Amino acid sequence: MQQENTIIVKDADKYIVSEKEFLQYIYVVLQKSEKFQNVKTGEKINEYLELDMTVEREGEEGIEKLVIEVRQAALFTLDRIQPVIARLRQIHKAVSDAKCVFLFPGKLTDRLNQIFEKYGVEVWDRDYFAAAFRREIDQIQHPVFQNFFAVRQISGREKELEFIDRLNLCTLGKADWTNYQKLAGEILTYLFCPPLSAPLTERIDIRNNYKRQYIFPNYCNTGLWAYLRNVYTADYIVADAMNTSQNLSAKDVRQFSDFLKVHGTGLFGMIITRRSVSDSAYFTAREAWVMQKKMILILHDNDMEQMLLEKLSGRNPENVIRQKIEDFRFSFE
């Protein structure tokens, strides 16, 4: 006889996880936990707002109600975290007596964690959930979700975390400009070589007008990089790191765009910047895509950190590049 709350999945190696199934798994885990009670899903607050999950736990001042927003995705760029924040703020306004929790099987950067902390939201990431519910996870032995919360073996100080520390130590402006460029090149090389070839550095075009810091030859036949070569003529992946203390300007984007040529490096590149992007810079990047089919991604320190955390977690850091492209393309809708 099948035990209550047991979940069976056939052909687990071919299984595609859905949000609904992941939510059901979290529901089963919390039901088995002695720390929580009154676990419910799908509670409707009004015509437009339905909660993923509500639970109660023993707090310092008695029973505390939690509203848990559950996402199956393990990766969130800054653009993709904003709708989550907006929904949690909406929930808090509607259920003001409850504490909001964001649960997902990944890892956020410190910058994104600080955003949730600002709004009083608890974050239950992969590491927290794996530690807090180890007994329940081991009891269920789900053939798919068990791997989501596997215990990682840490051996000393990981290189990814060292890179993140070095990023945070780089100061804005000209004083650390060269150090930041070198560090950005080290990180990109660590993340993507292989499959990309080692970068060519400080290449100048025939008119000696534009010098880009890193150019990665792209000879990949499979995966994201092969896709970029086919769709965006990305025979080379061009990256420029700018440690400017000002917002990225239209001039910065335009100069970078001028370096991308069909019969040169190709039409794909990444600008790594530490500050916000001016409206004019954003529209210049959009214009380069619409008019010339040049795909210019603008990455921030948070994106660099997220890629490092993806690699640390055993996932593919290229997923961040995928999301950035999708966010850019969807912005035209």
Side-chain angles (χ1 to χ4, degrees):
M1 179 179 294
Q2 182 179 334
Q3 292 183 341
E4 183 182 1
N5 290 337
T6 298
I7 304 174
I8 297 178
V9 175
K10 296 180 180 179
D11 299 324
D13 57 332
K14 302 177 182 178
Y15 202 74
I16 299 176
V17 175
S18 71
E19 292 277 0
K20 183 178 180 180
E21 290 162 316
F22 185 61
L23 177 62
Q24 176 64 20
Y25 172 72
I26 300 301
Y27 171 78
V28 172
V29 171
L30 266 64
Q31 269 203 327
K32 284 183 172 292
S33 174
E34 297 176 354
K35 303 173 185 176
F36 298 91
Q37 56 194 25
N38 293 330
V39 184
K40 299 177 183 178
T41 60
E43 180 181 345
K44 284 195 173 183
I45 302 302
N46 54 47
E47 182 182 356
Y48 308 101
L49 185 60
E50 180 176 321
L51 307 180
D52 284 348
M53 187 175 298
T54 58
V55 301
E56 293 178 353
R57 73 179 174 188
E58 187 71 36
E60 295 180 358
E61 300 180 358
I63 299 298
E64 182 180 27
K65 182 177 180 179
L66 304 179
V67 176
I68 305 177
E69 180 75 3
V70 180
R71 298 294 173 91
Q72 178 269 328
L75 171 63
F76 289 87
T77 58
L78 181 58
D79 286 341
R80 297 195 180 197
I81 215 67
Q82 298 300 336
V84 177
I85 293 290
R87 175 170 162 81
L88 286 166
R89 294 184 69 184
Q90 180 187 22
I91 290 171
H92 181 66
K93 186 179 294 186
V95 194
S96 58
D97 62 333
K99 175 87 171 181
C100 288
V101 174
F102 175 50
L103 188 158
F104 78 115
K107 193 77 175 173
L108 295 177
T109 65
D110 287 343
R111 289 174 175 82
L112 295 186
N113 274 313
Q114 288 168 7
I115 295 176
F116 284 102
E117 185 178 343
K118 174 184 175 181
Y119 292 109
V121 176
E122 285 188 25
V123 175
W124 293 5
D125 62 10
R126 178 206 58 227
D127 292 345
Y128 175 87
F129 196 82
F133 299 96
R134 184 79 267 145
R135 181 179 66 86
E136 294 80 7
I137 292 169
D138 290 341
Q139 282 180 351
I140 297 170
Q141 286 292 313
H142 193 285
V144 176
F145 300 129
Q146 187 80 9
N147 292 331
F148 277 40
F149 301 106
V151 177
R152 295 185 304 115
Q153 298 297 322
I154 304 295
S155 56
R157 183 68 169 166
E158 271 84 352
K159 193 172 183 66
E160 293 87 352
L161 299 181
E162 291 179 0
F163 275 132
I164 290 174
D165 286 344
R166 288 172 61 189
L167 268 176
N168 292 330
L169 288 173
C170 266
T171 57
L172 285 170
K174 293 182 179 179
D176 254 354
W177 189 288
T178 300
N179 291 335
Y180 182 72
Q181 284 188 321
K182 289 180 178 178
L183 177 58
E186 285 182 50
I187 292 173
L188 293 176
T189 302
Y190 175 74
L191 291 172
F192 301 129
C193 299
L196 297 178
S197 299
L200 312 172
T201 59
E202 298 185 350
R203 306 295 294 182
I204 304 174
D205 76 355
I206 195 170
R207 294 173 295 173
N208 294 323
N209 283 343
Y210 309 111
K211 181 168 68 175
R212 296 280 79 85
Q213 194 67 15
Y214 296 99
I215 301 175
F216 297 84
N218 178 14
Y219 300 109
C220 300
N221 293 318
T222 60
L224 174 67
W225 304 114
Y227 170 81
L228 295 183
R229 193 174 72 242
N230 291 334
V231 175
Y232 302 112
T233 325
D235 296 317
Y236 299 85
I237 306 299
V238 184
D240 193 11
M242 300 182 183
N243 195 30
T244 176
S245 57
Q246 306 296 321
N247 290 345
L248 192 71
S249 69
K251 180 181 178 181
D252 296 326
V253 176
R254 195 174 298 112
Q255 286 185 338
F256 183 84
S257 176
D258 287 344
F259 190 76
L260 304 178
K261 301 179 180 70
V262 172
H263 300 294
T265 59
L267 303 180
F268 179 87
M270 301 181 291
I271 299 176
I272 304 162
T273 183
R274 315 199 70 188
R275 296 301 299 269
S276 298
V277 180
S278 66
D279 289 342
S280 60
Y282 173 71
F283 286 114
T284 300
R286 285 172 63 96
E287 183 181 62
W289 166 244
V290 172
M291 304 300 294
Q292 300 173 298
K293 299 302 180 185
K294 296 180 179 181
M295 175 57 66
I296 300 172
L297 294 188
I298 299 174
L299 307 182
H300 302 275
D301 279 0
N302 187 76
D303 299 313
M304 300 289 278
E305 291 183 25
Q306 195 68 67
M307 289 190 290
L308 288 165
L309 290 176
E310 285 293 289
K311 189 174 180 69
L312 179 63
S313 300
R315 293 189 295 270
N316 196 333
E318 295 169 8
N319 291 333
V320 176
I321 305 299
R322 280 192 176 92
Q323 282 199 2
K324 296 291 287 188
I325 293 173
E326 291 169 2
D327 291 346
F328 182 79
R329 294 290 296 266
F330 292 161
S331 70
F332 286 83
E333 293 184 348

